[in-house]
Amino acid sequence: MNAQNLSKRLEKVASFVPKGAIVADIGSDHAYLPCYLVHKGIIQKAVAGEVVKGPYQSALKKVKEEGLENQITVRLADGLEAIESSDHVDTITIAGMGGSLIVSILEKNPEKLENVNRLILQPNIHARVIRQWALENKWKIIEEAIVEEDQKIYEIIVLERGNMELTEAEILMGNILIQEKSEVFLKKWSNEVNHWKKVLKSLEYAEPTPEIVGKRQELLHQIALVEEVIH
């Protein structure tokens, strides 16, 4: 992967960036995504934010190598603190972290979202936490994607401002992804159900404490939710 050729996962994230957007890529690592977006002529300007010194230095180096210092600003900052009002950022990308961490980044500096129209979020796990947050904070899902790369499955959620209603199954699995029922989607959720059934089996021998009983009920409920969708 480099600034000209992204991984399948990041290429999908890039596909949801509107032409002419001003992007803040939070947790930018090597700044591959903003560099790619500028090279492809999709965007003119971007901010690459990194909270860790090593990746920040890598991003600085990469932007310089690509000759994009005038178009991409690299900042060492915690989450959305990388964004300044003078940047006029309207699109935020956050990829490659857990869903809970992504939500905590969004919640930590809500004022930074005031002029933002679109969030493109790619959680490695717990996408449901992002959908729940969107529901509660008046963001609606306008696009979703699911891709498999190197035997890992990733979900991408694209949000714009607005209200939506989601069922419990849609919060867990994604309303658009449920409609599409792609091969990768079916594979992901079949694997999850198999995993949950193994956990259930292991709990059969555990002492039935209130915690264990609660865990069993939760697993049975999730299995029923998912099986109703995939069968």
Side-chain angles (χ1 to χ4, degrees), residues 83-99:
I83 301 170
E84 294 174 5
S85 56
S86 58
D87 298 324
H88 303 294
V89 164
D90 54 35
T91 301
I92 291 174
T93 54
I94 309 179
M97 316 177 190

Side-chain angles (χ1 to χ4, degrees), residues 11-12 16 29 36 41 50 57 81-82 84 91 93-94 105 128 145 148 152-153 160 177 183 213 215 225:
E11 203 171 279
K12 199 70 186 166
F16 294 121
D29 205 4
Y36 173 90
E50 250 308 334
Q57 299 287 2
E81 283 168 24
E84 294 174 5
T91 301
T93 54
I94 309 179
I105 287 170
R128 71 192 295 177
E148 184 172 16
K152 288 187 179 146
I153 293 175
E160 287 189 354
L177 298 179
E183 225 172 282
V213 170
K215 181 73 177 161
L225 269 183

Side-chain angles (χ1 to χ4, degrees), residues 25 30 62 66 71 75 114 128 134 169 194 209-210 223:
D25 184 37
H30 286 75
K62 178 50 67 180
E66 301 294 324
Q71 286 153 293
R75 292 199 185 108
E114 276 172 22
R128 71 192 295 177
N194 290 338
T209 61
I223 291 165

Side-chain angles (χ1 to χ4, degrees), residues 134-141 160-165:
L135 259 182
E136 290 164 7
N137 290 275
K138 296 191 165 45
W139 289 84
K140 66 177 177 188
I141 297 168
E160 287 189 354
R161 292 182 187 280
N163 294 309
M164 63 174 173
E165 288 180 19

Side-chain angles (χ1 to χ4, degrees), residues 151-167:
Q151 295 175 317
K152 288 187 179 146
I153 293 175
Y154 303 100
E155 292 172 65
I156 298 150
I157 302 167
V158 186
L159 302 172
E160 287 189 354
R161 292 182 187 280
N163 294 309
M164 63 174 173
E165 288 180 19
L166 296 178
T167 64

Side-chain angles (χ1 to χ4, degrees), residues 31-160:
Y32 286 143
L33 180 60
C35 289
Y36 173 90
L37 290 166
V38 174
H39 280 317
K40 292 286 179 190
I42 296 165
I43 65 170
Q44 293 297 316
K45 277 173 68 184
V47 174
E50 250 308 334
V51 70
V52 181
K53 199 110 195 227
Y56 164 72
Q57 299 287 2
S58 300
L60 271 180
K61 188 177 168 208
K62 178 50 67 180
V63 168
K64 195 172 182 187
E65 273 174 18
E66 301 294 324
L68 299 175
E69 298 106 309
N70 293 335
Q71 286 153 293
I72 300 172
T73 305
V74 183
R75 292 199 185 108
L76 183 65
D78 184 6
L80 301 187
E81 283 168 24
I83 301 170
E84 294 174 5
S85 56
S86 58
D87 298 324
H88 303 294
V89 164
D90 54 35
T91 301
I92 291 174
T93 54
I94 309 179
M97 316 177 190
S100 300
L101 179 55
I102 291 174
V103 163
S104 73
I105 287 170
L106 296 171
E107 286 183 336
K108 197 170 178 185
N109 302 90
E111 73 287 354
K112 300 283 187 179
L113 298 175
E114 276 172 22
N115 299 310
V116 172
N117 308 321
R118 181 174 286 201
L119 302 172
I120 305 164
L121 310 172
Q122 181 269 297
N124 288 348
I125 52 168
H126 302 147
R128 71 192 295 177
V129 180
I130 290 173
R131 295 189 188 100
Q132 187 66 51
W133 175 85
L135 259 182
E136 290 164 7
N137 290 275
K138 296 191 165 45
W139 289 84
K140 66 177 177 188
I141 297 168
I142 59 149
E143 289 276 10
E144 283 181 309
I146 187 164
V147 295
E148 184 172 16
E149 183 173 62
D150 300 331
Q151 295 175 317
K152 288 187 179 146
I153 293 175
Y154 303 100
E155 292 172 65
I156 298 150
I157 302 167
V158 186
L159 302 172
E160 287 189 354

